[in-house]
Amino acid sequence: MSIQHQLLCPVDFSDSSRGALHYALAIARRFHIGVTVLTVEDPLLAEFGNARTGADWSAASSARRLRSFVDEAQADVEPVDVTYEVRSGPAAPVILDVSRWCVGRG
């Protein structure tokens, strides 16, 4: 039985999470594994944005921003396999749920 590893890197688009993403990508590159990059939206802010601009606007906007954030981090280096996740809810429980999902994928 072969175990496949997947690294989880939650980001909030801050400079600190940009640094964490660079490390996660470097580790993934070194060990030839994939990275799941996750951002968690505040449900109240997402609902407000969706009410003003249409359903799922917030998630689509976050997904575009997440891809751009990762593209910037992978510029000028060998890219790694990245899975993108945008979720809504309280950050800590959502991160734990996604980490269990990542383990289940391996």
Side-chain angles (χ1 to χ4, degrees):
M1 179 179 184
S2 165
I3 297 176
Q4 293 183 337
H5 298 279
Q6 182 79 10
L7 194 61
L8 174 62
C9 184
V11 299
D12 62 3
F13 306 108
S14 67
D15 289 339
S16 296
S17 67
R18 185 182 317 278
L21 178 59
H22 280 283
Y23 277 108
L25 294 170
I27 291 166
R29 200 173 297 109
R30 168 68 176 91
F31 292 101
H32 308 286
I33 59 176
V35 177
T36 297
V37 182
L38 165 71
T39 191
V40 182
E41 298 181 326
D42 179 285
L44 185 58
L45 294 177
E47 185 176 328
F48 177 75
N50 290 341
R52 289 187 52 123
T53 57
D56 295 328
W57 172 86
S58 182
S61 176
S62 291
R64 283 190 302 275
R65 188 172 179 202
L66 187 60
R67 286 184 182 276
S68 176
F69 195 72
V70 172
D71 288 347
E72 289 173 15
Q74 292 204 86
D76 303 323
V77 295
E78 180 184 342
V80 299
D81 181 35
V82 176
T83 302
Y84 301 91
E85 288 291 322
V86 176
R87 303 281 177 101
S88 180
V94 171
I95 292 168
L96 287 173
D97 286 346
V98 174
S99 70
R100 290 182 193 107
W101 175 77
C102 285
V103 169
R105 293 181 61 207

